[in-house]
Amino acid sequence: MAPPSLLLEEVQDSIAQDERRLSALRLVQDLELPEGSIAGDFVRCAVFDRFHQHPEWTQLRAVDVVYFDPERTEAVVDRNLETELIAQAPRRPWRVTNLAASRPGAEKLAEALGVYLDTASAVAVRLGPRERILVNAPFGLEDLTGGIVRPTRPEAAGELRRRVRDEKWLSRYPKLRLEGLE
């Protein structure tokens, strides 16, 4: 297993080498959301594409903007943020979610990322000072960088198995290993 610093570099490089992803991160940074990040397909596909040496960018179902603000949990806030992002970048499939509303009991974004079905999707990135890519990975980076699809919790296995099948993940990414999806 690679040292955590190398796994982190691999994720950061996968994002940093794509100007479209950096552009999206800049737009999210401009919103100044508490722990404002992008997670899900945005991160997972960047790393899986690199792992599979795909030269082209996988079309994303959504650009999942996530943040954690227990003071503003009304759905209308998320819709207004989506509208703002769409106005700036209309071709991107923006989806904004305040994970404080989605994960009652969570106290920060890292805890709330368990809302994702798989550990490789439960990784969020955001821009820090000097456009350094900051990574929030509560389940670690081994699955993401190793091409492993594993549920974040046992009850997510069935839905994750259907998603992998319906979205044809193994056609696009044949080197993936499915674990915990029996």
Side-chain angles (χ1 to χ4, degrees):
M1 180 185 311
S5 61
L6 286 180
L7 299 178
L8 178 61
E9 273 183 42
E10 187 173 334
V11 173
Q12 291 169 321
D13 289 348
S14 294
I15 302 298
Q17 292 177 6
D18 187 334
E19 183 54 41
R20 292 166 294 196
R21 281 185 168 83
L22 286 175
S23 171
L25 286 170
R26 288 182 195 111
L27 291 174
V28 171
Q29 183 180 43
D30 289 346
L31 295 174
E32 298 181 355
L33 299 169
E35 296 189 74
S37 305
I38 305 180
D41 294 355
F42 183 88
V43 179
R44 188 192 68 244
C45 290
V47 176
F48 283 3
D49 282 345
R50 187 173 179 180
F51 181 76
H52 284 80
Q53 299 176 336
H54 291 313
E56 71 283 351
W57 196 43
T58 295
Q59 184 66 36
L60 301 179
R61 291 181 316 112
V63 177
D64 284 333
V65 176
V66 295
Y67 66 105
F68 195 87
D69 186 352
E71 303 299 317
R72 300 187 317 166
T73 58
E74 304 83 20
V76 68
V77 174
D78 294 349
R79 300 303 71 83
N80 290 340
L81 291 165
E82 280 178 13
T83 299
E84 190 173 333
L85 288 167
I86 290 167
Q88 295 180 58
R91 290 188 169 170
R92 293 200 177 117
W94 298 105
R95 180 170 53 203
V96 178
T97 306
N98 180 355
L99 292 183
S102 300
R103 291 289 288 209
E107 295 183 15
K108 56 186 177 180
L109 185 70
E111 293 174 22
L113 285 170
V115 72
Y116 283 92
L117 296 176
D118 64 287
T119 56
S121 297
V123 176
V125 295
R126 64 187 171 96
L127 291 180
R130 295 183 307 280
E131 292 205 345
R132 182 168 179 248
I133 296 169
L134 305 176
V135 178
N136 191 338
F139 298 97
L141 296 171
E142 294 83 8
D143 288 356
L144 176 62
T145 58
I148 298 170
V149 176
R150 178 191 329 264
T152 55
R153 54 201 182 284
E155 61 273 14
E159 189 176 344
L160 177 57
R161 190 174 33 257
R162 281 187 297 281
R163 184 171 180 208
V164 167
R165 181 194 65 228
D166 294 349
E167 295 177 13
K168 299 175 177 46
W169 285 19
L170 294 176
S171 294
R172 175 76 180 158
Y173 303 118
K175 295 182 200 173
L176 291 182
R177 288 190 342 229
L178 306 181
E179 296 188 6
L181 296 178
E182 301 75 39

